[in-house]
Amino acid sequence: MPGKLKVKIVAGRHLPVMDRASDLTDAFVEVKFGNTTFKTDVYLKSLNPQWNSEWFKFEVDDEDLQDEPLQITVLDHDTYSANDAIGKVYIDIDPLLYSEAATVISGWFPIYDTIHGIRGEINVIVKVDLFNDLNRFRQSSCGVKFFCTTSIPKCYRAVIIHGFVEELVVNEDPEYQWIDRIRTPRASNEARQRLISLMSGELQRKIGLKVLEMRGNAVVGYLQCFDLEGESGLVVRAIGTACTLDKLSSPAAFLPACNSPSKEMKEIPFNEDPNPNTHSSGPSTPLKNQTYSFSPSKSYSRQSSSSDTDLSLTPKTAPSPQGPRIYLCPSSPPLSCGSLHLKKSCLLLSDSSLAPHHCSLGSPVLRKSVSFSEELFLAASGMGSGSAGKEGGPFKALLRQQTQSALEQREFPFFTLTVFPPGFLVHVGGVVSARSVKLLDRIHNPDEPETRDAWWAEIRQEIKSHAKALGCHAVVGYSESTSICEEVCILSASGTAAVLNPRFLQDGTVEGCLEQRLEENLPVGCGFCHIPYDELNMPFPAHLTYCYNCRKQKVPDVLFTTIDLPTDAMVIGKGCLIQARLCRLKKKAQAEANATAISNLLPFMEYEVHTQLMNKLKLKGMNALFGLRIQITVGENMLMGLASATGVYLAALPAPGGIQIAGKTPNDGSYEQHISHMQKKINDTIAKNRELYEINPPEISEEVIGSPIPEPRQRSRLLRSQSESSDEVTELDLSHGKKDAFVLEIDDTDALEDVHSLLTDVPPPPGFYSCNTEIMPGINNWTSEIQMFTSVRVIRLSSLNLTNQALNKNFNDLCENLLKSLYFKLRSMIPCCLCHVNFTVSLPEDELIQVTVTAVAITFDKNQALQTTKAHIEKSLQRASADTEELLQFPLELCSDSLPSHPFPPAKAVTVEKANPMGEGNFRNRSAPPCASSTVGVVKMTPLSFIPGAKITKYLGIINMFFIRETTSLREEGGVSGFLHAFIAEVFAMVRAHVAALGGNAVVSYIMKQCVFMENPNKNQAQCLINVSGDAVVFVRESDLEVASVQQPTANCQPLCAGGEVTT
Amino acid sequence: MATLVLSDAVALRVRSGILEQTGATAAVLQSDTMDHYRTFHMLERLLHAPPKLLHQLIFQIPPSRQALLIERYYAFDEAFVREVLGKKLSKGTKKDLDDISTKTGITLKSCRRQFDNFKRVFKVVEEMRGSLVDNIQQHFLLSDRLSRDYAAIVFFANNRFETGKKKLQYLSFGDFAFCAELMIQNWTLGAVGEAPTDPDSQVDDMDVDLDKEFLQDLKELKVLVADKDLLDLHKSLVCTTLRGKLSIFSEMEANFKNLSRGLVNVAAKLTHSKDVRDLFVDLVEKFVEPCRSDHWPLNDVRLFLNQYSASVHSLDGFRHQALWDRYMGTLRGCLLRLYHD
């Protein structure tokens, strides 16, 4: 009995009227934890009851504390009939279980009902008394901290990054239990909410145990997902990166070392600085490290573990020297021995990508398993060998030696992080991904979810082998996802193959500087671009040149990654969001036939998505993609692919060639004219984009660089038609000054469609930039104004005569329009950048396409944004006018009627069209201006891991919430749009209330992981499930901090100044 | 109906040139406008009880914007308020909103909102004790200016003052609101109990109702015109003081008795609620119009009224000085405000 949970119900307000006769409510509250329930007195006849209850005490195991949510139910007392439920509040008490997080949960929580939405608020105080439990065999993992943030949290220091942790738990979905036929929708929804809450608690506890086993104390980049498998059950799975984190005693002093945004911004302009490492010093200076001699093997890594305070050779956290190293995951790049064979086999697999290459492991569930590797990704994201001798040689050998032993110990050297401590990332290979199509079957024994485990193990194994083929021993920016339709499920995993600095994985201190030795070998700003594999045994055909920065090592021509842009990367100009969108029809089929059809389609989808990305990247005049996320969604009669990434121009990589259009029938005069017209348009677009994104790479003469290795045959892989391509190459127009022009051949409608889609992508309106990474490369003067928003759009397609082209166009328009309306809504924030743009596509029903977007708009200082003065004035004028409109977006008189009595959007009347907007829900969360002092504490929400112009001083715990909302009066609630709009607003309100109750003032790394919408317009019904998560934090504005530092001059003036510069 | 109004709103925004400014498409504008409607729809029920807006958790709105929202939602049109001022805020009046909308050119929806706002505020503060303006401010979080206006509207609605007659058309809402404020300050029950110490004894401390006792007492003023000697004395006192000071002295002198009779009779009649309703009609008929027809300058009116009320203090036979001051002090203010073209 190692814990006592104490709950006090204080008061309620704005309760709904439950008694029509008196227009009042007789409310009381049930407080339930585990199997124990307490009740308050009935507070008669009030909509604002003051219960002021005693402290309800629950004496419970800490295992239960972790699993169970506290469940608070508000009811209306009824003498003669059953008490009516008003609504519920679920409170996750996990944050109270860490020592440093919140100590009390206290505040107003919205009372939520799955049918009626929010119905008033309740004031609750929750406390936990934990007793120490030294039981070694305990089942609980209290004290392990969880972070959604995919970087080392700001006020912590990573002592060791242990590596991958994963777990999944399975249960029956209450919605599909027999009892669901006889219970009310409300009961069913609540059962589901409760179960998922319980399962996530259990999952978190189990992951925590694994972390403790690894001797870590935290999980960073924690990503938890639900798979609603319908009949076959409910899977909750999570992945994360186990770490040992140290709380920084004086957080402000840490500013330069941690990935504070302001810091990142500051660095970029100075990236020419020959020795930028000096900044990363924090308390541990390079000097200290230099005092140690460079010795090979393991001792080396321990030696370099100098932390700010401790110069001893003993690793701080490891009791035995052997201990920590076991957690290590990096595998050494096994290039020298037998790697050739490995790569060959991988290539083979890739080429015959349709052939299943996992055996089914004898599982009855696994009837058909098809997977394929992404040759294309590898091909395009090309990497070169950093190895090939020269100066890199001895160091690499050393690296290999060091990690060799650790290699075997670690099953999956994966990291869910996307941002790394400086020096962590040595080389980046490219994107590795794997997909597998599975048939779902009922999970017979929920306690042993072996099949699901096995499925993921297979995929991870494949990822690992792909990474190996790229000469990489680790995968970073790793993530997993599923798409389910009926009984078919696509499992996907992707990440970026990389070579890591082993020091950080062992007992090194993360913010310690690079060894001098390392610096010599890895020129800062381009090191990560250098190919990790052997030039002579490339795993795929790639186009290598010497690095444009250091000119010593080989780099690929294009680099694709799933991670954020490294802070020290040298970028020319600005970046931009690049999306590839694709739909493919498929026949409706059952079970295995369906799975086969999907498996057959997948490689083509991947190929086309990739081609699109490549084309668009070239069109933007850029040469690298960061934050790449490819989502393949399966529906009844179609597959959708949506890839988002942020394109940038890396200074280390060669300039991208242009796009060359080649016609198939060269003799036709008008056709040729058409072609040349298109070619001109494309060239113009490239030139325009270069100007727009300020891409002006310094001219470097060919001799210095060494001409690119001409590989026409290999390049032709990217051509549409391989048979003809070799002829075309000779006719290349070399107007772009590089020999590697990208040929796009127009020989069929597909290609035509591609070209059109290329050219129809409209750039964002002036003053807007967008990216899906945390911050926009090339912009470094962010102001503190941020605004997060979520927008959901659902369109209904008419199933008549749908062709792939029409479908593609619909989908493309949907996404473009969504972006356009975001730009429109945010017009008053110009100049601003949409960061962390996250698109999610789902196909909830036969003819419905649902796209959900979450992003954050951050303004930046336009005075520094290279614009002419004239443009300024226009801008500010515009802004002024926009502002007034903002204040009153519509004349109030036009809408004073409360219930719009119009039945429904006119969608059905217009079904003649291919796609018509069935409805769209949009929501804007207006962040309050900094000066706001409201009666309700302001809680900011952002998908970023930081808040511009502010410092996060404390992490209060993870927010992981799941809500269901159902309605049987869809039309009355404003149709799909009204329903979703209200629901999303309510979800935001509940998230904010929980954060505020924890004592926080922001949610960072916020993500809406799921938004599942189903409707039945004929029955006037709809249901929506939303799962959100993030980290509750306390932040302090840097301006406030400065005031504080004046008062305490000893504290930490220096770093503050660094931060301050940026905000001003 | 919603779409109809939506299209109006979109058209309005298109006319503002927003599409050209931002390069957005009509579809984007349409969907954006719909979003605003949806948000507004969710906000509106909170606006019905503004303190809820302050404590709600659904929208995170900075206080300044909250205040703006409330202020704009409770704003009303001069043209509209003139139509309903002094009318019973009942279903019957609500049915006439169609006509008002046609007459004023204000959309029916807007008329309804304004009418519902009046009625809502009226219902909430009608039975409340204490200062009318404070009550409104507290329960609707309106600005001082707007609270005062609503107080006037509530006061007029409660006392059903006639404001719609053709004769009164030249008067603005501001004129009436000014008078309402003076009357609330001096003629209601709340006005007497200046220092409410024991809350239980202040059962009648209401700003919305005129002080019945006071109205009854006003009959006593009749002696000023009924007693011929008193009237003559009053006249001679006023004329002596004002001689040479007024440009329209002779007109004043000729009209004195008529004017005085008019003003005193208005007071004496206020016991009947029917006559209370006609207060403004009477004031205009009996005083404003005669003076205006003789082209009295406003300053002369002021001098006259000052002297007219002050001279009563010198009438030895008159015993109701306090009553006279309570009546005339307010009336003087009102008349000066009402005296314009």
Side-chain angles (χ1 to χ4, degrees), chain B residues 220-221 223-224 230 312 315-321 324:
Chain B
E220 307 290 337
L221 299 181
V223 69
L224 283 173
L230 216 53
V312 171
L315 296 173
D316 291 335
F318 187 68
R319 290 178 295 116
H320 307 284
Q321 304 291 356
W324 173 255

Side-chain angles (χ1 to χ4, degrees), chain A residues 153 284-285 317 414 416 529 543 577 740 826 883 935 973 1036:
Chain A
S284 95
T285 68
T317 48
F414 297 169
T416 54
C529 307
H543 192 168
L577 179 72
D740 55 342
L826 296 166
D883 268 350
T935 48
E973 290 188 34
V1036 185

